[in-house]
Amino acid sequence: MSSNFPYTLSGMLTIGQILGMVEYAGIDELEKESAEAWQVIGDATRLAFADRNRYIADIDFVEIPEGLLNKNYLTKRAKLIQQGIALSTVSAGEPLWENAVAQADDQSLELPSTTHLSIVDQDGNIVSMTSSIENGFGSRLMSHGFLLNNQLTDFSFISEKNGKPIANRVEPGKRPRSSMSPIIVMKGDQPYLVIGSPGGARIINYVANTLIRHIDWAMPLQTAINSPNLQSRSGIYELEAGTSGRN
């Protein structure tokens, strides 16, 4: 990651964990859009968020475990998921980590106020871009017609818990952690899908769910995008109001 990039992107790594865990937990054995399938996806997401909240922050300030996407690690995490029985509690795992450091879980606010665009032009140029000012009207300050952002809320304002430091704590010169997930999916050596989403910390769920619906369940892409949002990040299962997802 370039040191001059303004954010630490947690989205793609967390999505990678979710997709790996649902695969190893047997998502293809379950009826698509079933309650059983969404329980597996929800628990995988909770486990991935537990790792994210414990370990991911600016790599110029903290070391991130190198084993978060290791197949054996994700298989071990997936074995915690029981089809038909939701996990009562989740916690961060213990991935391979050369220089392990005791850390506490993140306490950031992660407010939504994000824009995403996906573009493919006639010449084959591809853009997947997410932009955020963090919270409605950002910092409430304007400069030359532009609203200034308030990305500080992507940090944890609590620096330690029970004597253990929080990786994503505020520090001078540090990049805040973001849930942005601009993704280009490749099929062989050719681009297949350009995707991303607005939505604060829910971006990770939106993108992961769309990929599962389209790639694992062979749902037409627009249908997958338009389908009800069902998600669990930290224990509470959220169902999109006014949709069939509430049934």
Side-chain angles (χ1 to χ4, degrees):
M1 181 180 296
S2 170
S3 62
N4 61 6
F5 196 79
Y7 311 111
T8 295
L9 298 184
S10 69
M12 282 78 81
L13 194 157
T14 308
I15 289 170
Q17 284 197 309
I18 295 167
L19 297 181
M21 279 188 277
V22 299
E23 177 186 353
Y24 306 141
I27 193 72
D28 56 350
E29 302 169 3
L30 301 173
E31 181 183 352
K32 65 180 181 181
E33 298 289 9
S34 65
E36 292 77 13
W38 283 108
Q39 175 254 313
V40 168
I41 296 168
D43 280 348
T45 304
R46 290 174 63 199
L47 289 167
F49 264 81
D51 278 357
R52 170 185 180 271
N53 293 343
R54 175 73 57 84
Y55 297 120
I56 302 178
D58 187 347
I59 59 174
D60 287 346
F61 285 74
V62 299
E63 185 174 343
I64 297 176
E66 58 267 28
L68 288 170
L69 292 177
N70 178 274
K71 181 177 180 180
N72 292 333
Y73 174 67
L74 292 181
T75 301
K76 182 179 179 180
R77 295 286 275 170
K79 287 180 179 178
L80 298 173
I81 302 171
Q82 301 180 60
Q83 294 181 7
I85 305 174
L87 290 170
S88 57
T89 60
V90 299
S91 59
E94 297 181 358
L96 294 174
W97 196 1
E98 185 174 347
N99 298 304
V101 177
Q103 292 176 329
D105 294 334
D106 184 72
Q107 307 288 319
S108 60
L109 298 174
E110 302 193 85
L111 303 172
S113 205
T114 310
T115 300
H116 179 83
L117 58 87
S118 296
I119 298 174
V120 180
D121 71 13
Q122 61 184 4
D123 297 318
N125 297 303
I126 300 171
V127 173
S128 181
M129 186 185 79
T130 312
S131 177
S132 177
I133 59 173
E134 191 76 7
N135 197 10
F137 299 100
S139 63
R140 277 71 168 178
L141 298 174
M142 293 191 73
S143 176
H144 302 285
F146 291 92
L147 282 165
L148 303 181
N149 73 40
N150 185 28
Q151 297 299 147
L152 276 172
T153 55
D154 268 345
F155 282 117
S156 172
F157 292 158
I158 299 173
S159 62
E160 60 89 26
K161 188 175 181 181
N162 298 326
K164 297 178 182 178
I166 292 174
N168 192 41
R169 63 190 179 276
V170 177
E171 296 180 79
K174 191 175 187 179
R175 291 169 293 179
R177 187 189 61 202
S178 172
S179 300
M180 294 182 192
S181 305
I183 290 176
I184 299 175
V185 179
M186 304 296 288
K187 193 172 186 178
D189 60 355
Q190 295 297 315
Y192 169 73
L193 172 64
V194 186
I195 195 169
S197 178
R202 293 184 181 91
I203 290 173
I204 292 168
N205 302 74
Y206 296 158
V207 175
N209 292 354
T210 299
L211 290 172
I212 291 169
R213 281 170 159 149
H214 179 62
I215 296 173
D216 292 311
W217 295 346
M219 193 177 290
L221 180 58
Q222 195 60 56
T223 303
I225 293 171
N226 293 344
S227 295
N229 289 305
L230 314 173
Q231 63 216 358
S232 180
R233 294 170 293 159
S234 302
I236 298 174
Y237 217 114
E238 299 174 335
L239 309 178
E240 186 176 3
T243 72
S244 60
R246 297 279 295 183
N247 297 337

